[in-house]
Short mmCIF file of all heavy atoms in Angstrom, two decimals:
data_model
loop_
_atom_site.label_atom_id
_atom_site.label_comp_id
_atom_site.label_asym_id
_atom_site.label_seq_id
_atom_site.Cartn_x
_atom_site.Cartn_y
_atom_site.Cartn_z
N ILE A 71 -14.36 1.24 2.31
CA ILE A 71 -14.30 1.55 0.89
C ILE A 71 -15.18 0.58 0.10
O ILE A 71 -15.91 0.96 -0.81
CB ILE A 71 -12.85 1.49 0.38
CG1 ILE A 71 -12.00 2.57 1.08
CG2 ILE A 71 -12.79 1.68 -1.14
CD1 ILE A 71 -10.55 2.55 0.68
N ALA A 72 -15.11 -0.71 0.50
CA ALA A 72 -15.94 -1.71 -0.17
C ALA A 72 -17.41 -1.37 -0.05
O ALA A 72 -18.19 -1.54 -1.00
CB ALA A 72 -15.66 -3.10 0.41
N MET A 73 -17.82 -0.86 1.12
CA MET A 73 -19.22 -0.53 1.33
C MET A 73 -19.65 0.70 0.53
O MET A 73 -20.82 0.88 0.22
CB MET A 73 -19.48 -0.30 2.83
CG MET A 73 -19.30 -1.55 3.68
SD MET A 73 -20.32 -2.92 3.16
CE MET A 73 -21.94 -2.19 3.30
N ALA A 74 -18.68 1.55 0.19
CA ALA A 74 -19.02 2.79 -0.50
C ALA A 74 -19.01 2.65 -2.02
O ALA A 74 -19.48 3.55 -2.73
CB ALA A 74 -18.05 3.90 -0.09
N LEU A 75 -18.50 1.56 -2.53
CA LEU A 75 -18.40 1.38 -3.98
C LEU A 75 -19.78 1.23 -4.62
O LEU A 75 -20.68 0.62 -4.04
CB LEU A 75 -17.55 0.15 -4.30
CG LEU A 75 -16.06 0.25 -3.95
CD1 LEU A 75 -15.37 -1.08 -4.25
CD2 LEU A 75 -15.40 1.39 -4.72
N VAL A 76 -19.93 1.78 -5.80
CA VAL A 76 -21.15 1.63 -6.59
C VAL A 76 -20.89 0.56 -7.64
O VAL A 76 -19.98 0.69 -8.47
CB VAL A 76 -21.54 2.96 -7.28
CG1 VAL A 76 -22.77 2.75 -8.15
CG2 VAL A 76 -21.77 4.04 -6.24
N LEU A 77 -21.68 -0.51 -7.63
CA LEU A 77 -21.46 -1.64 -8.52
C LEU A 77 -22.33 -1.57 -9.76
O LEU A 77 -23.46 -1.07 -9.70
CB LEU A 77 -21.76 -2.95 -7.78
CG LEU A 77 -20.94 -3.20 -6.51
CD1 LEU A 77 -21.38 -4.49 -5.88
CD2 LEU A 77 -19.47 -3.22 -6.82
N PRO A 78 -21.82 -2.08 -10.90
CA PRO A 78 -22.64 -2.13 -12.11
C PRO A 78 -23.76 -3.14 -11.97
O PRO A 78 -23.65 -4.09 -11.19
CB PRO A 78 -21.63 -2.57 -13.20
CG PRO A 78 -20.59 -3.32 -12.44
CD PRO A 78 -20.46 -2.62 -11.11
N ARG A 79 -24.86 -2.97 -12.70
CA ARG A 79 -26.01 -3.85 -12.59
C ARG A 79 -25.80 -5.15 -13.38
O ARG A 79 -26.40 -6.17 -13.06
CB ARG A 79 -27.27 -3.15 -13.10
CG ARG A 79 -27.71 -1.98 -12.22
CD ARG A 79 -28.98 -1.36 -12.76
NE ARG A 79 -29.43 -0.28 -11.89
CZ ARG A 79 -30.20 -0.46 -10.82
NH1 ARG A 79 -30.57 -1.67 -10.49
NH2 ARG A 79 -30.58 0.56 -10.08
N GLU A 80 -24.98 -5.13 -14.42
CA GLU A 80 -24.82 -6.33 -15.22
C GLU A 80 -24.13 -7.43 -14.43
O GLU A 80 -23.39 -7.16 -13.49
CB GLU A 80 -24.04 -6.03 -16.51
CG GLU A 80 -22.68 -5.39 -16.28
CD GLU A 80 -22.79 -3.88 -16.33
OE1 GLU A 80 -23.91 -3.35 -16.15
OE2 GLU A 80 -21.77 -3.23 -16.53
N GLN A 81 -24.35 -8.65 -14.81
CA GLN A 81 -23.77 -9.80 -14.13
C GLN A 81 -22.28 -9.87 -14.43
O GLN A 81 -21.80 -9.39 -15.46
CB GLN A 81 -24.46 -11.10 -14.60
CG GLN A 81 -25.94 -11.15 -14.30
CD GLN A 81 -26.22 -11.14 -12.82
OE1 GLN A 81 -25.51 -11.81 -12.07
NE2 GLN A 81 -27.22 -10.39 -12.40
N GLY A 82 -21.55 -10.51 -13.58
CA GLY A 82 -20.12 -10.67 -13.82
C GLY A 82 -19.37 -10.78 -12.50
O GLY A 82 -19.92 -11.17 -11.48
N GLN A 83 -18.10 -10.40 -12.55
CA GLN A 83 -17.25 -10.51 -11.37
C GLN A 83 -17.71 -9.60 -10.24
O GLN A 83 -17.38 -9.81 -9.09
CB GLN A 83 -15.80 -10.17 -11.74
CG GLN A 83 -15.15 -11.19 -12.68
CD GLN A 83 -15.07 -12.56 -12.04
OE1 GLN A 83 -14.79 -12.67 -10.86
NE2 GLN A 83 -15.37 -13.60 -12.81
N ALA A 84 -18.48 -8.57 -10.58
CA ALA A 84 -18.95 -7.65 -9.54
C ALA A 84 -19.83 -8.35 -8.54
O ALA A 84 -20.00 -7.88 -7.41
CB ALA A 84 -19.71 -6.49 -10.18
#
Side-chain angles (χ1 to χ4, degrees):
I71 297 178
M73 295 303 301
L75 292 176
V76 177
L77 301 179
R79 293 182 178 274
E80 56 267 20
Q81 299 296 319
Q83 293 298 320

